[in-house]
Every structure is written in structure tokens, then in C-alpha cells.
Amino acid sequence: MTDDRPFRFTIPIPSAVPSRVDHHIERRLSAMKGQFYDTQAYEAMLANEDLLLYEVYEIKRPEVAGELLMGISVVHPGKVGREFFMTKGHYHTVLDTAEIYYVLKGEGFMVMETPEGICAVEPLSPGQVLYVPPRWAHRSVCTSRREDLVTFFAYPGNAGHDYGTIEQKGFHKLVMEGPDGIEITDNPRWRA
Ligand code: 6PG
Ligand code: NI
């Protein structure tokens, strides 16, 4: 599939679907069981419809050190209870691998933490670049009412994805809609 000649692709705005897509991922509500705080709201929504929460358009390269994997992440607007739609979130299997995000469209936050429990929640808006250092798990959250949160990302080919740790423990911080707007709250269900 991949050859070693330089290549280009285009990310047209507003669609943000790259002109080259090697793999398209669709994540639905059913794939996020146990991730949202309000389990009752989650079950009620899922019983109604298995909504599409986010999509990833990947541009593949060999998954080896020295290569970079790239793509577009599109988180759709919505909420489960008071909690905004978000990605599963993950550590990289090779913990010492960083990631760059460039925000193309929308509003949101990147929720991040280290295995030692150090947390960071960075706001995301168009034109911003976020550097996720090695060892930081990361989850994108869309807080716009109408617009997708669209980011271009790149990370090392050998990074891999560790979803298990986050599925078990969750993130320390949650992004919720409160009476006075967006709230970053502690996750009462975070498990050590
Ligand atoms: C990665 C990137 C990024 C991420 C998507 C979807 O390591 O591949 O962080 O592309 O995969 O934003 O998020 P989840 O992988 O957490 O579902
Ligand atoms: Ni990642």
C-alpha cells in the first residue's frame, strides 16, 4: 500500500474529509459504554438510537519508529446528560510517544493526564496547535452546540493505542455543561 515517495493530500474546509483516506473509523454511542458519567442518560439515549459520536480519517504509514501516522478527528456536537460528546481517549502503547494536534474547526477541550495522575485540560479553537507530550493520555471533547470539533493529528508510527487503562479508570476530569456554561469537574468515579 505505502510507497516511499513523497506525497501530498488536501484537507478541504469545511468538510475536512482529507483527499486521501486509508481508513475511516466511526465511533458510536455503543462503543463508549461506561465512559460517560450519567449512565442512566447513556442507557436511555442508546435505547433510542446508537448515535455517531465521532469519526477518524486515517492516512496510513508503516507502524514503525521513524514514520508518522496522520489523520483527521471529527467529534460531533452533543451531550450525554450534561457531559459533552468526546473520544474514547487513550495512552499510546509506547508511552514515550508524543502527538501534535492542529485545530481546523469548532470548539472544545483536550483532556489529558499522566499515569502519575497529573492532569491538564486545554481549550481548543481554530488555528491552535496542541502538543501532547510523551506519557500523556488524551481525549478530545466537542463543546460547540452546532459545529464539529475537527483536528489534524500526527504521531509516531510505533505509538500504538492503549484504550484499556482509560476504559478501566476513566479520566480524572470531566467536561460538563453547567448552569453558567462549560464546567471542568473532577470525575467522582475515577478509579485508582
Ligand atoms: C491517535 C490520535 C487520534 C485519536 C482520535 C480518536 O493516537 O491515533 O490520538 O487520532 O485516535 O482522536 O480518538 P480515540 O483513539 O481515543 O478513539
Ligand atoms: Ni493518540
Side-chain angles (χ1 to χ4, degrees):
M1 176 185 67
T2 53
D3 66 37
D4 275 347
R5 295 189 56 73
F7 64 92
R8 291 175 298 144
F9 59 90
T10 307
I11 306 170
I13 299 294
S15 83
V17 178
S19 59
R20 169 177 162 170
V21 176
D22 296 320
H23 186 221
H24 177 211
I25 298 168
E26 293 192 325
R27 290 261 202 257
R28 294 182 175 277
L29 203 49
S30 53
M32 302 284 287
K33 193 165 182 56
Q35 298 301 305
F36 287 99
Y37 177 70
D38 187 338
T39 48
Q40 277 184 330
Y42 173 84
E43 295 302 339
M45 283 179 75
L46 189 55
N48 184 40
E49 185 186 353
D50 193 5
L51 287 170
L52 179 62
L53 266 62
Y54 65 97
E55 301 174 68
V56 185
Y57 299 91
E58 296 184 324
I59 292 92
K60 290 281 187 188
R61 292 293 301 174
E63 299 193 1
V64 297
E67 288 277 0
L68 292 174
L69 302 175
M70 301 166 286
I72 300 287
S73 172
V74 179
V75 186
H76 300 300
K79 286 182 301 198
V80 175
R82 296 193 304 113
E83 196 172 3
F84 292 100
F85 282 3
M86 56 196 190
T87 58
K88 285 166 83 75
H90 58 269
Y91 282 98
H92 290 157
T93 310
V94 178
L95 210 44
D96 287 321
T97 51
E99 184 155 350
I100 288 175
Y101 282 89
Y102 175 60
V103 185
L104 295 163
K105 224 172 74 157
E107 300 293 331
F109 291 83
M110 190 68 75
V111 175
M112 298 166 280
E113 66 184 59
T114 67
E116 296 74 28
I118 305 168
C119 304
V121 180
E122 291 287 335
L124 301 175
S125 53
Q128 290 185 327
V129 174
L130 172 74
Y131 188 80
V132 182
R135 304 178 56 72
W136 288 77
H138 37 285
R139 161 182 279 168
S140 307
V141 182
C142 173
T143 55
S144 166
R145 282 183 196 291
R146 278 174 298 284
E147 211 181 10
D148 293 335
L149 173 65
V150 181
T151 55
F152 168 77
F153 58 80
Y155 62 103
N158 63 328
H161 297 93
D162 161 17
Y163 291 107
T165 305
I166 295 300
E167 277 160 6
Q168 275 156 38
K169 298 184 173 191
F171 277 86
H172 280 79
K173 301 290 180 185
L174 307 176
V175 185
M176 302 278 212
E177 175 133 60
D180 310 318
I182 296 165
E183 285 174 7
I184 310 294
T185 62
D186 289 336
N187 177 2
R189 295 206 346 248
W190 189 83
R191 288 177 294 284

